[in-house]
């Protein structure tokens, strides 16, 4: 930018100065010469007047000695070189010595009487003024008065030097002023732009002259386009790997301290019935996604230590290195009392916010004491995070609805931290969220994050309209930023995903072997189509609706009885809560009823496994299934759908997927269904059973490509790159805002 100012403004100015000097100097020369010549002519005329009486008798007598004496007296004037007396035909009558060295009578012939001319001789230029004399009875003659003009040459040269120096100096001064003005403008623009990009609207700034606007808009557009193209470049990168993510952390963020915060921990230690300690990876989409990211980036993961044996395995700082087989990051456990867990986790998080954000028609409950516990636990986590993050400028990745107010609690304690909050569940519309009694406090705390991530653009828009409805702030819809109390929060969609290649792919048995072992384990015969459902036992997942769809199918098509079994894995979750208890009981009862209705001695339509399964076994189930059904009533993303696709390196198997999941925006080749429409779901099961191999293969191939390209490293990479851009802008703003003395110290 600065270079272009020099090229576009200063250079033309210097060229203009050159042109002025080039064409102006001859004019100045001529002016000076005319000025000096006129002066000399006047003097010559005066000299001639004083000669007029004395000269004729001497010429008449041809008295050269007297003429010489007389001439010597007259030519005492330093600049008067001498006299010439010539016949009109150029014949010399008399000349003084200095005059003869400069000019001859022949040279004066072109000069008319009473006129002057500048002649150039070897010793410099001279001005010759000729005066005709016609004495009575005598032949006429001409008197030439020769003036030395070399002083005029000298003065001209001096004047020329002055003019050149003056022109050069003026040009330099002008250029300097221009550069200074441009720099000041640039600084002001940069200031305005930075402020504008970061969310505070320039158009609202009453002090800013409207004159700048078109230029600013243009510059802003260019910057925006540059940013977009950089973003696209990263977006379309196909091979996002742990190494690519590490590169982003190292080169874009300069390896900051990374802290992840979540309620659910990635590894849970429990006492088994025999007193031994077992370790479990929980059934959580959030853990599935974040764990590989932490393996790649390292740092500290702060989470609730919820396992019965969790305290047994930590050090005195409540930390342990994980994963156990190849430790690469630190798990920092936070202990909660039963009361805290009751109000924070079961209460506000899962009886309030979870049903509030999922349109599964379960009424949310809001209790003041839960809100108090929620705030207290968020504060407790804030303390730990602040300690784990250290004093500098960490990157803090907060996960989910359990910690909506954590950004606001961290901001004053770690102003230089880059805080990202990712919301793993859907965000409802403004009217729905409006029922939350503490919506304003929650929203304003969330907005203290630098980046607020959702799975889909739709959720982002819902969030922005919720903020618009309930908070006094400035929203830039185009850039999706919200400015509140001088802080700017960037809202964006980052569809979460899974690691690629999946961890278990390398060690898993081939698909045929998986089919055989799973069928053996669950008593499903070879010819029976195996449908699979895997999830936490949650009312948002549509488990009972799925059973009803199968029932409808078997009802309508009796020939399918004995031909299809749904293997349902339901990992118990939040079982203390009445809604979950009722769901578990309802699910068991419905499975039982349907099995009794259609089952035979060697076939059951539903095999319900109400237990958590370790991830490697779930991987085996995915590989064994003929179809996988994900009919969530509402789901932020749903990673089961992506895991199923990732497990099928044989490019077989059919995915039935609810349109109310974030995953349905990406996995378009699945059989998309409305989970509330039981008939449509039953039809999809039938289509899955009847789909030809080539079609299954084609669909699976396309879905696998999508999951591979949009893997979890890309999810984290995009978020962290946005964080890096924000950090760069903030650094710039800080430099601009710092007083001069401080800036010097900084540099
Ligand atoms: O995937 C969404 C999510 O809410 C996670 O954030 C959470 O860890 C998971 O579901 C399981 O829920 P919970 O941790 O309550 O068992």
């Amino acid at each position: 930018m600065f270079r272009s100012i020099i090229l576009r403004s200063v250079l033309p100015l210097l060229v203009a100065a050159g042109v002025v000097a080039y064409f102006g100097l001859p004019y100045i020369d001529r002016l000076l010469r005319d000025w000096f010549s006129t002066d000399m002519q006047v003097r010559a005329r005066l000299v001639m007047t004083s000669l007029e009486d004395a000269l004729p008798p001497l010429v008449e007598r041809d008295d050269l000695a007297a003429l010489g004496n007389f001439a010597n007296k007259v030519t005492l004037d330093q600049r008067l070189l001498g006299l010439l007396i010539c016949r009109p035909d150029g014949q010399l009558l008399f000349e003084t010595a200095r005059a003869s060295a400069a000019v001859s009578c022949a040279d004066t012939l072109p000069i008319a009487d009473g006129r002057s001319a500048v002649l150039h001789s070897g010793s410099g230029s001279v001005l010759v003024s000729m005066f005709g004399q016609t004495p009575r009875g005598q032949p006429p003659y001409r008197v030439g008065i020769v003036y030395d003009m070399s002083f005029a040459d000298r003065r001209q040269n001096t004047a020329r030097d002055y003019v050149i120096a003056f022109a050069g100096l003026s040009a330099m001064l002008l250029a300097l002023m221009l550069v200074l003005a441009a720099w000041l403008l640039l600084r002001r623009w940069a200031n305005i732009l930075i402020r504008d990009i970061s969310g505070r609207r320039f158009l609202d700034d009453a002090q800013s002259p409207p004159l700048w606007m078109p230029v600013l808009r243009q510059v802003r557009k260019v910057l925006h386009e540059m940013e977009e193209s950089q973003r696209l470049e990263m977006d379309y990168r196909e091979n996002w790997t742990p190494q690519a993510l590490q590169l982003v952390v190292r080169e874009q963020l300069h390896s900051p301290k990374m802290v992840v915060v979540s309620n659910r921990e990635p590894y849970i230690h429990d006492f088994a019935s025999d007193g031994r300690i077992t370790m479990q990876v929980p059934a959580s989409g959030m853990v599935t996604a974040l764990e590989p990211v932490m393996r790649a980036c390292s740092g500290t993961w702060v989470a609730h230590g919820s396992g019965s044996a969790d305290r047994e395995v930590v050090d005195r700082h409540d930390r342990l290195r994980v994963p156990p087989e190849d430790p690469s990051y630190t798990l920092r456990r936070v202990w909660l009392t039963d009361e805290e867990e009751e109000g924070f986790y079961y209460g506000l998080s899962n009886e309030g916010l979870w049903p509030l954000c999922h349109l599964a028609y379960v009424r949310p409950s809001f209790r003041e004491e839960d809100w108090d516990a929620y705030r207290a636990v968020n504060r407790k986590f804030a303390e730990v995070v602040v300690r784990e993050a250290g004093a500098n400028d960490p990157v803090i990745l907060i996960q989910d609805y359990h910690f909506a107010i954590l950004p606001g609690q961290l901001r004053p304690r770690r102003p230089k931290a880059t805080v990202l909050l990712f919301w793993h569940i859907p965000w409802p519309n403004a009217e729905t969220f409006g029922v939350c009694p503490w919506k304003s406090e929650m929203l304003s705390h969330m907005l203290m994050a630098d980046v607020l991530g959702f799975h889909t653009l739709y959720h982002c828009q819902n969030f922005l309209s919720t903020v618009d409805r309930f908070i006094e702030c400035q929203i830039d819809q185009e850039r999706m930023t919200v400015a509140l109390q001088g802080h700017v929060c960037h809202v964006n969609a980052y569809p979460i995903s899974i690691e690629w290649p999946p961890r278990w792919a390398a060690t898993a048995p081939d698909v045929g072997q998986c089919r055989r072992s799973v069928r053996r384990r669950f008593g499903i015969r070879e010819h029976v189509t195996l449908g699979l459902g895997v999830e936490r036992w949650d009312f948002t997942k549509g488990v009972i609706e799925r059973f009803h769809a199968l029932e409808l199918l078997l009802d309508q098509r009796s020939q399918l009885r004995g031909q299809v079994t749904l293997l349902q894995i339901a990992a118990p979750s939040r079982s203390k809560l009445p809604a979950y208890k009722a769901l578990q009981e309802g699910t068991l009862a419905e499975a039982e009823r349907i099995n009794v209705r259609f089952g035979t001695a060697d076939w059951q339509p539903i095999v319900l496994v109400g237990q958590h399964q370790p991830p490697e076994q779930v991987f085996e189930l995915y590989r064994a299934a003929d179809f996988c059904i994900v009919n969530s009533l509402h789901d932020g993303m749903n990673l089961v759908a992506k895991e199923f696709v990732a497990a099928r390196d044989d490019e077989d198997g059919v995915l039935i997927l609810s349109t109310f999941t974030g995953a349905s925006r990406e996995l378009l080749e699945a059989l998309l269904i409305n989970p509330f429409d039981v008939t449509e779901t039953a039809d999809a099961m039938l289509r899955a059973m009847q789909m030809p191999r080539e079609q299954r293969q084609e669909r699976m191939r396309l879905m696998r490509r999508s999951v591979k390209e949009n893997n979890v490293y890309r999810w984290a990479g995009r978020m962290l790159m946005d964080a890096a851009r924000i950090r760069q802008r903030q650094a710039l703003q800080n430099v601009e805002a710092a007083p001069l003395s401080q800036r010097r110290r900084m540099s």
Side-chain angles (χ1 to χ4, degrees):
M1 185 78 114
F2 207 66
R3 222 178 70 194
S4 96
I5 287 173
I6 298 213
L7 281 176
R8 287 185 195 175
S9 318
V10 178
L11 221 61
L13 197 73
L14 290 174
V15 171
V19 170
V20 167
Y22 184 77
F23 291 105
L25 281 176
Y27 174 76
I28 289 166
D29 276 359
R30 212 175 56 230
L31 199 77
L32 286 173
R33 186 167 291 278
D34 287 354
W35 181 21
F36 293 131
S37 302
T38 313
D39 188 30
M40 293 299 111
Q41 277 173 40
V42 172
R43 287 188 187 202
R45 204 158 279 135
L46 276 173
V47 171
M48 192 57 215
T49 310
S50 63
L51 290 178
E52 252 163 14
D53 294 335
L55 203 58
L58 297 177
V59 174
E60 203 174 313
R61 287 204 310 269
D62 201 13
D63 184 350
L64 292 179
L67 258 175
N69 278 339
F70 180 68
N72 282 341
K73 280 180 201 154
V74 172
T75 57
L76 276 176
D77 177 350
Q78 209 186 2
R79 287 185 195 142
L80 185 55
L81 267 185
L83 296 179
L84 279 176
I85 301 179
C86 318
R87 289 289 174 211
D89 61 359
Q91 186 197 337
L92 176 74
L93 288 179
F94 171 77
E95 63 182 348
T96 57
R98 281 166 69 204
S100 72
V103 71
S104 70
C105 279
D107 298 332
T108 64
L109 282 175
I111 307 169
D113 289 342
R115 312 300 293 256
S116 306
V118 175
L119 302 177
H120 299 281
S121 71
S123 52
S125 37
V126 290
L127 180 96
V128 183
S129 302
M130 298 304 291
F131 300 94
Q133 300 292 316
T134 324
R136 218 175 298 141
Q138 294 288 325
Y141 59 91
R142 293 177 0 123
V143 179
I145 298 176
V146 184
Y147 267 102
D148 178 8
M149 287 294 279
S150 61
F151 81 96
D153 288 344
R154 279 196 305 279
R155 284 193 184 171
Q156 260 173 348
N157 286 341
T158 315
R160 180 195 293 254
D161 290 348
Y162 276 124
V163 167
I164 289 174
F166 179 73
L169 219 72
S170 311
M172 268 168 61
L173 261 172
L174 255 167
L176 249 160
M177 278 163 63
L178 212 68
V179 170
L180 193 73
W183 182 68
L184 286 172
L185 283 184
L186 205 67
R187 257 186 45 158
R188 171 154 176 67
W189 286 356
N191 244 338
I192 293 164
L193 281 166
I194 291 162
R195 276 193 295 135
D196 182 63
I197 288 164
S198 54
R200 262 168 280 152
R201 279 178 286 186
F202 174 60
L203 299 184
D204 297 340
D205 189 345
Q207 289 175 347
S208 308
L211 194 70
W212 301 120
M213 282 184 196
V215 189
L216 266 176
R217 261 188 228 124
Q218 205 49 36
V219 180
R220 237 184 260 158
K221 209 175 130 213
V222 173
L223 277 179
H224 186 57
E225 278 165 10
M226 272 165 55
E227 210 169 85
E228 272 307 294
S229 73
Q230 199 189 349
R231 178 193 279 274
L232 283 181
E233 196 188 305
M234 294 308 290
D235 274 7
Y236 286 109
R237 259 182 82 143
E238 277 181 25
N239 54 339
W240 269 100
T241 58
Q243 292 73 30
L245 184 61
Q246 282 161 357
L247 208 74
V248 170
V249 172
R250 201 170 51 240
E251 292 190 355
Q252 311 259 330
L253 282 164
H254 310 295
S255 307
K257 170 86 187 180
M258 300 267 289
V259 182
V260 164
V261 196
S262 71
N263 169 65
R264 185 61 64 209
E265 55 183 341
Y267 297 95
I268 304 175
H269 290 90
D270 277 312
F271 285 115
S273 49
D274 59 3
R276 278 188 306 117
I277 293 177
T278 60
M279 196 202 71
Q280 182 185 305
V281 175
S284 156
M286 182 275 300
V287 169
T288 306
L290 261 292
E291 220 275 331
V293 171
M294 277 308 269
R295 282 180 194 236
C297 301
S298 32
T300 301
W301 187 330
V302 179
H304 171 210
S306 57
S308 55
D310 271 356
R311 287 176 195 264
E312 307 301 316
V313 291
V314 293
D315 64 14
R316 63 194 174 90
H317 302 291
D318 301 322
R319 296 181 188 134
L320 78 151
R321 296 282 295 163
V322 286
E325 70 281 4
D326 177 23
S328 51
Y329 65 94
T330 301
L331 172 58
R332 164 68 159 91
R333 285 177 169 149
V334 179
W335 315 114
L336 298 183
T337 63
D338 289 349
E339 294 71 41
E340 283 172 333
E341 195 178 357
E342 194 67 42
F344 156 74
Y345 174 72
Y346 289 109
L348 193 81
S349 296
N350 288 317
E351 284 197 295
L353 295 175
W354 181 271
L356 178 72
C357 292
H358 288 94
L359 303 179
Y361 305 98
V362 170
R363 189 184 160 141
S365 304
F366 296 108
R367 292 174 292 264
E368 196 70 39
E369 59 273 24
D370 291 347
W371 174 235
D372 290 342
Y374 187 87
R375 283 192 299 186
V377 171
N378 271 247
R379 255 197 313 275
K380 192 177 214 175
F381 270 79
E383 293 296 330
V384 176
V385 171
V386 161
R387 247 175 286 133
E388 294 295 327
N392 291 324
D393 47 358
V395 172
I396 302 172
L397 298 154
I398 305 173
Q399 308 303 314
D400 239 343
Y401 57 99
H402 310 92
F403 295 111
I405 60 174
L406 191 53
Q409 292 173 335
L410 288 173
R411 181 59 57 204
R413 317 265 314 262
R414 283 288 176 274
K416 284 206 282 181
T418 305
V419 179
L420 295 87
L421 168 59
F422 191 81
W423 200 260
H424 287 258
I425 60 176
W427 189 275
N429 63 35
E431 202 172 8
T432 305
F433 194 80
V435 305
C436 174
W438 310 288
K439 53 186 173 286
S440 303
E441 190 173 340
M442 215 172 253
L443 289 170
S444 48
H445 275 70
M446 285 176 82
L447 290 171
M448 288 301 118
D450 296 289
V451 176
L452 202 43
F454 295 92
H455 291 299
T456 67
L457 200 58
Y458 181 65
H459 297 154
C460 294
Q461 282 156 355
N462 275 352
F463 177 79
L464 289 176
S465 62
T466 307
V467 167
D468 199 17
R469 171 104 50 114
F470 300 115
I471 299 284
E472 197 63 45
C473 59
Q474 288 132 31
I475 302 177
D476 186 330
Q477 294 284 356
E478 204 187 325
R479 293 187 184 286
M480 302 220 296
T481 57
V482 184
L484 177 67
Q485 294 156 13
H487 177 79
V488 178
C489 176
H490 299 250
V491 179
N492 214 342
Y494 306 97
I496 206 165
S497 195
I498 55 169
E499 64 181 330
W500 189 282
R503 193 173 313 160
W504 311 108
T507 49
D510 67 47
V511 167
Q513 227 175 306
C514 292
R515 283 177 73 89
R516 284 192 294 279
S517 100
V518 167
R519 281 162 191 274
R520 210 179 308 121
R521 198 170 347 136
F522 295 102
I524 300 164
R525 295 167 69 194
E526 183 53 32
H527 71 278
V528 173
T529 300
L530 175 59
L532 177 69
V534 181
E535 43 257 306
R536 272 186 317 106
W537 217 332
D538 196 291
F539 53 77
T540 59
K541 303 295 180 183
V543 179
I544 293 182
E545 289 77 359
R546 186 178 309 169
F547 291 176
H548 290 164
L550 182 65
E551 181 181 21
L552 184 66
L553 185 67
L554 298 174
D555 214 5
Q556 288 177 343
R557 297 180 183 256
S558 53
Q559 72 277 20
L560 291 181
R561 294 176 195 169
Q563 301 301 311
V564 57
T565 288
L566 178 65
L567 172 59
Q568 178 64 53
I569 310 293
S573 172
R574 308 165 192 172
S575 311
K576 272 173 76 166
L577 298 177
Y580 287 81
K581 238 185 248 160
L583 172 77
Q584 288 179 15
E585 286 162 10
T587 313
L588 287 168
E590 283 303 275
E592 172 79 10
R593 183 182 64 75
I594 294 166
N595 280 343
V596 168
R597 183 175 172 201
F598 298 109
T600 59
D602 59 358
W603 171 74
Q604 295 282 290
I606 298 171
V607 175
L608 177 57
V609 182
Q611 263 170 17
H612 174 264
Q613 304 289 308
E616 62 275 28
Q617 280 185 26
V618 174
F619 197 79
E620 191 188 32
L621 296 175
Y622 290 142
R623 285 165 78 77
D626 292 305
F627 69 84
C628 177
I629 177 163
V630 175
N631 62 314
S632 306
L633 305 180
H634 203 191
D635 222 330
M637 173 54 71
N638 193 291
L639 294 184
V640 165
K642 293 188 176 182
E643 284 180 324
F644 172 64
V645 168
R648 299 312 296 258
D649 53 9
D650 62 330
E651 296 178 341
D652 207 346
V654 179
L655 176 65
I656 299 171
L657 184 58
S658 159
T659 52
F660 297 110
T661 61
S664 68
R665 314 290 156 107
E666 294 173 61
L667 303 176
L668 301 172
E669 293 74 27
L671 297 181
L672 297 176
I673 52 153
N674 170 3
F676 293 90
D677 185 340
V678 176
T679 310
E680 191 177 88
T681 311
D683 285 350
M685 287 184 182
L686 182 65
R687 275 184 74 192
M689 290 172 72
Q690 295 175 342
M691 191 181 286
R693 160 88 176 132
E694 306 76 60
Q695 207 188 117
R696 299 200 300 263
Q697 200 169 29
E698 194 52 34
R699 285 171 184 264
M700 186 53 81
R701 199 174 284 153
L702 288 167
M703 289 192 288
R704 283 177 64 77
R705 199 163 77 196
S706 165
V707 178
K708 179 183 176 209
E709 285 172 12
N710 301 301
N711 62 31
V712 77
Y713 303 111
R714 178 172 179 260
W715 171 76
R718 286 184 60 231
M719 262 197 309
L720 293 177
M721 281 180 47
D722 284 350
R725 265 191 285 265
I726 290 166
R727 273 160 102 91
Q728 283 155 12
R729 273 189 215 126
Q730 284 171 347
L732 239 171
Q733 266 179 311
N734 291 343
V735 172
E736 291 296 335
L740 200 63
S741 55
Q742 203 176 322
R743 247 181 276 165
R744 275 200 207 107
R745 250 180 283 131
M746 282 179 187
S747 63

